[in-house]
Amino acid sequence: MDEFEQFVVGDRIAWWSDSHGRGLEPDAPGAKQGTGTVFAVVRDRNGEGTVAALIVKCSGVLGSYQYVVRPDYGHRPKLANSPVPQQDQRH
């Protein structure tokens, strides 16, 4: 099963990326953790096929924003309550 297929609207997820938004592993140098709630699962025009992206609602210091988590960017999201290495539990 494609790892993006497991997520549904309302899931709280976490992912890690570099300063340019490319996906990284949690323990990679410079990895920044993002967290948010999935509010849209993007597939093809008919809503079928594999997941092309997850639209995630996030909160930051200046308010809320949307972030696109995509498999072709190398993102590897996990449920936010999934265990990650202790040193990487940061925002």
Side-chain angles (χ1 to χ4, degrees), residues 16-88:
W16 293 262
S17 59
D18 65 12
S19 61
H20 300 286
R22 294 177 296 241
L24 293 174
E25 293 296 324
D27 58 352
K32 305 261 189 231
Q33 182 183 29
T35 58
T37 303
V38 175
F39 78 90
V41 177
V42 180
R43 298 178 183 271
D44 69 14
R45 292 181 193 184
N46 298 320
E48 300 172 359
T50 60
V51 174
L54 301 171
I55 311 296
V56 181
K57 184 171 184 175
C58 305
S59 296
V61 176
L62 299 176
S64 63
Y65 61 96
Q66 298 172 7
Y67 193 89
V68 181
V69 177
R70 295 173 44 168
D72 59 329
Y73 283 5
H75 295 132
R76 299 193 55 203
K78 299 185 181 313
L79 288 173
N81 57 357
S82 296
V84 295
Q86 187 65 29
Q87 70 272 17
D88 295 308

Side-chain angles (χ1 to χ4, degrees), residues 1-7 43 49-52 71:
M1 174 163 125
D2 179 13
E3 62 188 315
F4 277 69
E5 296 292 329
Q6 66 182 313
F7 301 110
R43 298 178 183 271
T50 60
V51 174

